[in-house]
């Protein structure tokens, strides 16, 4: 998945659980990685008849459902668009309007915005079958907690400063959850002083210009957390806040391009100054 992953597991079956999670991650990479070839996603994108396992069908269905739920802000068929901008092969360039139009029309699958969160929830399924007390997984910046800390205090997860190597604050999370951040600092290039990042606005085929530099989502379901972090980044603060008010399954922290921080009332954010987003205003 072109990133670093770090797995810590406490408990009798820690070793075997880590090894099974490793196998599961390698299989997900093989099936869904952007490097196509003979992968499930590569064959889907070539229009081949692919016999999907029940789990693969479920993943695709859920991606479609998240696209619908977010009004298309999460769009798992932007592969050609990301490719045109060079984000898949690091050959960065600004494509012309015609190229973007064609790329949008091609509707090639790309699970990049949801697969790491999905990997988190699949890890939880593995851990559930084992003698394991607790675990902390960092799957390329997507954090998955499992169980409770030994001393009973909540997990503390740092939220990265989008414009520095430090953390702007910490979210406290009880038990098993996914904490996923989408940001304009994770993958980008600059040209003539303008930053072009990897999160695309499906309406335009250009990097989403929503006034945000990152969105963190805290949710019990990993894939939902991941898809929503990307979608909320595309929506921006105002639309994202309205979306949160209509929902009941996640909390979020928004960092604006000017550094201002907004957090929903259940996000458990501390260690910084921020505006609280409430159910009713
Ligand atoms: P994330 O880091 O989870 O926000 O996912 C970003 C990745 O998902 C990008 O590198 C692309 O592969 C893909 N992507 C970009 N824009 C979108 C979008 N609007 N919806 C779904 N996937 C996207
Ligand atoms: Mg995402």
């Amino acid at each position: 998945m072109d990133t670093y992953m770090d797995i810590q597991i406490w408990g009798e079956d820690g070793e075997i659980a880590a090894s099974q999670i490793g196998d599961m991650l390698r299989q997900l990479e093989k099936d869904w990685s952007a490097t196509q070839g003979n992968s499930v996603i590569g064959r889907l994108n070539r229009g081949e008849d692919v016999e999907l396992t029940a789990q693969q069908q479920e993943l695709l269905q859920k991606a479609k459902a998240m696209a619908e739920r977010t009004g298309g802000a999460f769009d798992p068929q932007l592969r050609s668009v990301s490719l045109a901008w060079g984000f898949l092969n690091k050959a960065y360039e600004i494509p012309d309007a015609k190229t973007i139009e064609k790329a949008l029309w091609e509707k090639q699958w790309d699970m990049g915005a949801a697969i790491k969160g999905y990997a988190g929830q699949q890890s939880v399924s593995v851990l559930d079958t084992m003698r394991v007390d607790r675990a902390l997984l960092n799957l390329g910046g997507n954090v998955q907690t499992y169980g409770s800390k030994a001393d009973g205090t909540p997990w503390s997860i740092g939220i990265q400063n989008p414009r520095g190597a430090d953390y702007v604050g910490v979210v406290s999370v009880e038990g098993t959850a996914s904490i996923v951040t989408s940001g304009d600092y994770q993958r980008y290039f600059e040209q003539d002083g303008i930053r072009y990042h990897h999160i695309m606005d499906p309406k335009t085929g250009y990097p989403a210009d929503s006034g945000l530099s990152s969105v963190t989502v805290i949710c019990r379901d990993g894939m939902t957390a991941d898809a929503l972090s990307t979608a909320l980044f595309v929506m921006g603060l105002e639309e994202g806040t309205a979306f949160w008010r209509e929902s009941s399954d996640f909390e979020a922290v928004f960092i604006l391009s000017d550094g201002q921080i907004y957090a929903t009332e259940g996000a458990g954010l501390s260690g910084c100054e921020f505006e609280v987003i409430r159910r009713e205003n």
Side-chain angles (χ1 to χ4, degrees), residues 16-37:
I16 172 118
S19 141
Q20 281 199 20
I21 288 171
D23 291 345
M24 180 273 296
L25 291 171
R26 276 183 283 274
Q27 188 61 45
L28 281 184
E29 158 111 61
K30 221 170 128 200
D31 290 345
W32 302 103
S33 87
T35 35
Q36 302 282 294

Side-chain angles (χ1 to χ4, degrees), residues 34 70 72-79 81-82 87-88 110-117 140 142 180-183 186-187 197-203 206 208 215 225-231 233-234:
T70 61
F74 168 81
D75 181 346
Q77 292 188 303
L78 292 178
R79 183 175 194 277
V81 179
S82 298
F87 284 113
L88 297 182
D110 169 18
M111 290 294 171
I115 197 69
K116 283 182 278 170
N142 290 19
V180 177
T181 300
S182 287
Q186 292 165 336
R187 250 170 241 194
H197 60 76
H198 72 308
I199 302 170
M200 299 293 150
D201 185 339
K203 286 195 183 119
Y206 277 75
V215 178
D226 200 351
L228 286 183
S229 71
T230 308
F233 189 98
V234 171

Side-chain angles (χ1 to χ4, degrees), residues 17-112:
S19 141
Q20 281 199 20
I21 288 171
D23 291 345
M24 180 273 296
L25 291 171
R26 276 183 283 274
Q27 188 61 45
L28 281 184
E29 158 111 61
K30 221 170 128 200
D31 290 345
W32 302 103
S33 87
T35 35
Q36 302 282 294
N38 213 21
S39 66
V40 169
I41 201 164
R43 288 160 63 206
L44 282 175
N45 280 339
R46 285 195 298 274
E48 292 174 23
D49 248 338
V50 191
E51 234 182 89
L52 298 172
T53 65
Q55 237 176 36
Q56 291 165 346
Q57 275 178 34
E58 205 186 320
L59 178 59
L60 267 185
Q61 282 312 320
K62 199 156 164 190
K64 289 179 192 167
M66 288 310 294
E68 194 163 313
R69 178 178 169 190
T70 61
F74 168 81
D75 181 346
Q77 292 188 303
L78 292 178
R79 183 175 194 277
S80 298
V81 179
S82 298
L83 196 60
W85 284 89
F87 284 113
L88 297 182
N89 53 5
K90 300 193 171 78
Y92 305 124
E93 64 169 329
I94 302 170
D96 58 45
K98 242 197 175 125
T99 306
I100 290 179
E101 202 182 317
K102 180 166 173 279
L104 279 168
W105 174 83
E106 281 177 357
K107 297 202 182 300
Q108 295 273 298
W109 289 98
D110 169 18
M111 290 294 171

